[in-house]
């Protein structure tokens, strides 16, 4: 019975390890694709037009929204995004569409994130809003900005921060043809979707293994 239990848990460990390896491989593939596609080193079939330098302030509206305090949070509602992702929920939202954000305070200053639709973004993040910019694809800007080193935009040492002006002046190389932007973003979005699916599967299998351990290692459930 000991051997049977150990074998069942070992099988779960093997499955977890195989998914972890697959996630790592997918992340390497994405990293390689970003280095090639977002720098224009490899062009997708059908595209050969020029890339042009654009300051971030030209392709997006940059601003820090109103911050709400934690005592205003609710148990449910719309997600509230702080410097590093969701920090709570609120009964209102200040952005109907998903947005690109840059952490503008603290040790993770310069980190690029994306939100979900209908959310509240606080002033601890700089919004990079491309919704009104017809010449750029928002998903492309998200991936392109994620591949940049924004440390040159950081000011202050005791409390690192990013303010609007240096970020607005940050230069990017952008394909003139928005269709190329969309094609590149689609490839990277598909890889992200694969990674998210695998991570969700990994989380579920870890939960299953935890449940197996609680049942099998206490004798609550006996193997046949």
């Amino acid at each position: 019975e000991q051997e049977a239990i150990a074998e069942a848990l070992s099988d779960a460990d093997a499955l977890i390890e195989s998914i972890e390896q697959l996630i790592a491989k997918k992340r390497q593939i994405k990293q390689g694709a970003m280095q090639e596609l977002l720098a224009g080193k490899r062009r997708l079939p059908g595209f050969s037009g020029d890339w042009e330098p654009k300051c971030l302030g030209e392709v997006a509206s940059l601003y820090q929204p109103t911050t709400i305090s934690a005592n205003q949070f609710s148990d449910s509602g719309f997600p509230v995004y702080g410097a590093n992702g969701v920090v709570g929920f609120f009964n209102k939202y200040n952005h109907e569409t998903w947005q690109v954000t840059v952490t503008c305070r603290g040790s993770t200053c310069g980190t690029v994130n994306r939100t979900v639709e209908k959310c509240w973004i606080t002033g601890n993040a700089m919004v990079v809003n491309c919704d009104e910019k017809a010449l750029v694809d928002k998903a492309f800007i998200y991936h392109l900005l994620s591949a940049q080193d924004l440390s040159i935009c950081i000011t202050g040492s005791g409390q690192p921060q990013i303010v609007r002006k240096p970020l607005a002046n940050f230069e990017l190389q952008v394909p003139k043809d928005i269709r190329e932007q969309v094609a590149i973003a689609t490839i990277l979005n598909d890889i992200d979707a694969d990674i998210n699916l695998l991570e969700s599967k990994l989380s579920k299998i870890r939960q299953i293994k935890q449940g197996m351990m609680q049942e099998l290692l206490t004798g609550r459930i006996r193997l046949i």
Side-chain angles (χ1 to χ4, degrees), residues 111-122:
T111 302
V112 179
N113 296 300
R114 64 180 290 173
T115 72
V116 296
E117 296 178 349
K118 292 186 178 178
C119 66
W120 190 284
I121 304 173
T122 72

Side-chain angles (χ1 to χ4, degrees), residues 7-222:
E7 184 177 357
L9 295 176
S10 293
D11 288 344
D13 282 338
L15 182 56
I16 288 171
E17 184 178 356
S18 68
I19 296 174
E20 287 174 339
Q21 290 174 350
L22 190 54
I23 290 172
K25 185 177 180 180
K26 287 280 186 181
R27 284 179 175 153
Q28 289 175 347
I29 290 171
K30 182 189 175 185
Q31 187 65 31
M34 290 177 71
Q35 289 173 351
E36 295 289 320
L37 295 175
L38 295 176
K41 295 177 185 175
R42 179 164 67 88
R43 306 297 291 275
L44 295 174
F47 298 106
S48 58
D50 293 334
W51 289 40
E52 57 185 351
K54 290 283 186 182
C55 289
L56 186 57
E58 295 179 70
V59 299
S61 298
L62 307 180
Y63 55 88
Q64 291 172 264
T66 303
T67 296
I68 56 176
S69 60
N71 59 18
Q72 294 176 273
F73 291 175
S74 54
D75 293 332
S76 61
F78 303 102
V80 177
Y81 284 83
N84 299 298
V86 177
V87 294
F89 296 92
F90 191 45
N91 57 12
K92 298 178 183 177
Y93 58 87
N94 59 2
H95 290 82
E96 186 161 357
T97 58
W98 72 268
Q99 296 297 327
V100 181
T101 64
V102 176
T103 302
C104 55
R105 290 195 183 97
S107 60
T108 57
C109 206
T111 302
V112 179
N113 296 300
R114 64 180 290 173
T115 72
V116 296
E117 296 178 349
K118 292 186 178 178
C119 66
W120 190 284
I121 304 173
T122 72
N124 291 323
M126 185 78 69
V127 179
V128 182
N129 191 329
C130 304
D131 288 344
E132 303 300 322
K133 305 294 182 177
L135 298 180
V136 292
D137 177 70
K138 180 163 61 173
F140 174 80
I141 294 299
Y142 162 67
H143 290 295
L144 183 61
L145 204 56
S146 297
Q148 309 302 314
D149 181 5
L150 298 179
S151 61
I152 63 171
C153 299
I154 297 175
T155 60
S157 53
Q159 175 65 16
Q161 64 175 344
I162 289 180
V163 294
R164 185 187 179 282
K165 187 174 181 180
L167 194 60
N169 291 333
F170 189 84
E171 191 172 274
L172 301 166
Q173 291 292 327
V174 180
K176 285 185 177 180
D177 191 341
I178 193 171
R179 295 174 303 166
E180 184 173 8
Q181 299 177 33
V182 171
I184 292 171
T186 299
I187 290 172
L188 297 176
N189 285 342
D190 288 346
I191 298 173
D192 278 343
D194 287 344
I195 292 172
N196 290 338
L197 191 62
L198 287 168
E199 287 178 335
S200 177
K201 184 177 180 180
L202 180 61
S203 177
K204 289 177 182 177
I205 292 172
R206 282 176 172 159
Q207 289 174 355
I208 290 170
K209 187 203 169 186
Q210 186 65 32
M212 289 171 62
M213 291 176 69
Q214 290 172 353
E215 298 295 324
L216 294 177
L217 297 177
T218 58
R220 289 184 215 161
I221 291 179
R222 306 294 292 273

